[in-house]
Amino acid sequence: MKKKEIFIVGGGGHAKVIYGSLMRTGKWRVVGYTDVKDTGLADMEYLGSDGRMSDLVKKIKYAVVGVGQIKSCGSRRRLYLMLKEIGFSLPVIISESAVVLQKVTLGEGTYAGENSYIGSNASIGIMCIVNTGAVVEHDCRISDFAHISISSSLAGTVSVGNGTMIGMGACVLNGVRVGNEVIVSAGTVVRKDVPDKSLVSGNPARVQINRYAE
Ligand SMILES: CC(C)(COP(=O)(O)OP(=O)(O)OC[C@H]1O[C@@H](n2cnc3c(N)ncnc32)[C@H](O)[C@@H]1OP(=O)(O)O)[C@@H](O)C(=O)NCCC(=O)NCCS
């Protein structure tokens, strides 16, 4: 099978993760990465900064955003809009060791990381990150630009709002609704619904409203 050519936007930690997954699938030839400076990412070719993208689109059809997300999805949203406007396609990337069960929908530009699990009938929006070892159980509803971080777990029928980050190792109990632009700190146990734009931490989760509202 002929490999498709793709480049990575960003040269930091998340880009490294994406690069590893792309290589393992054997389906992609990663042409290089863009960033404000050469970060030496995985000995790949540095393609220049964002300004180069209008040239790149003449040669490369596919792009993937390799910029991560902790406190805000602002950078990922901005990059998505820019890449779409220039004319790139943003494929769904499912890692080799990810498990994606039946009737799952994954939006444009979404990444399912190594050893992640997405249960049946879950729906995941555009530009989401289901990171390494994360569990998104059956019937979950994940909105656009959400990040389900490393080894976090969402039980069945959980909903996660737009731009929300579920931190490493956090767990969200069945049916809980986590609002838009929420930050769930690493290791938090979320038992009750969480309002928009709040930060929650601890076990049981303590809610701090508008902590990081943009
Ligand atoms: C929530 C988070 C973003 C806050 O980071 P920060 O802005 O540097 O904030 P601070 O460390 O000053 O913490 C803010 C408050 O939340 C509390 N807090 C932060 N993280 C916490 C955690 N995991 N558990 C319990 N409380 C936590 C702090 O005690 C502090 O409370 P205070 O204001 O009453 O003192 C960060 O702690 C976190 O959990 N990041 C997620 C990391 C992650 O999942 N990475 C995955 C990469 S793929």
Side-chain angles (χ1 to χ4, degrees):
M1 190 179 66
K2 190 167 181 291
K3 292 183 182 178
K4 294 182 205 158
E5 294 195 330
I6 193 166
F7 78 99
I8 302 175
V9 181
H14 187 58
K16 207 174 270 182
V17 172
I18 295 279
Y19 176 68
S21 287
L22 288 169
M23 296 306 283
R24 258 171 66 95
T25 66
K27 294 176 188 160
W28 297 97
R29 192 175 92 74
V30 184
V31 174
Y33 69 99
T34 56
D35 204 326
V36 288
K37 63 176 188 329
D38 183 350
T39 63
L41 176 66
D43 295 327
M44 268 191 290
E45 184 179 348
Y46 172 58
L47 301 169
S49 60
D50 290 358
R52 278 287 324 281
M53 287 180 192
S54 318
D55 287 338
L56 287 175
V57 78
K58 293 171 196 155
K59 291 181 280 188
I60 306 169
K61 181 177 173 197
Y62 296 101
V64 55
V65 176
V67 174
Q69 166 183 341
I70 303 285
K71 291 183 186 172
S72 162
C73 68
S75 301
R76 288 178 58 81
R77 196 189 298 273
R78 180 185 63 77
L79 288 167
Y80 169 75
L81 293 172
M82 186 177 77
L83 291 165
K84 291 296 288 180
E85 192 175 323
I86 295 172
F88 290 105
S89 293
L90 286 87
V92 169
I93 293 165
I94 301 176
S95 301
E96 275 301 280
S97 57
V99 173
V100 178
L101 296 190
Q102 66 276 16
K103 293 189 179 168
V104 165
T105 56
L106 299 170
E108 174 184 34
T110 280
Y111 167 66
E114 302 292 343
N115 287 319
S116 63
Y117 168 94
I118 303 175
S120 52
N121 201 42
S123 98
I124 307 209
I126 64 166
M127 289 296 292
C128 292
I129 305 169
V130 179
N131 225 326
T132 315
V135 171
V136 175
E137 256 302 353
H138 65 89
D139 301 298
C140 281
R141 296 284 171 267
I142 314 295
S143 301
D144 301 342
F145 299 100
H147 176 189
I148 314 302
S149 191
I150 301 169
S151 294
S152 62
S153 305
L154 309 182
T157 66
V158 162
S159 73
V160 172
N162 193 301
T164 284
M165 197 275 306
I166 309 288
M168 277 185 295
C171 52
V172 184
L173 273 55
N174 303 63
V176 166
R177 297 161 69 94
V178 181
N180 300 315
E181 293 176 47
V182 168
I183 298 170
V184 175
S185 307
T188 299
V189 177
V190 185
R191 296 166 54 232
K192 295 182 183 157
D193 293 357
V194 179
D196 293 347
K197 298 188 180 229
S198 47
L199 164 73
V200 294
S201 309
N203 178 11
R206 187 167 55 98
V207 177
Q208 294 163 291
I209 309 286
N210 281 334
R211 180 83 196 223
Y212 290 104
E214 282 179 47

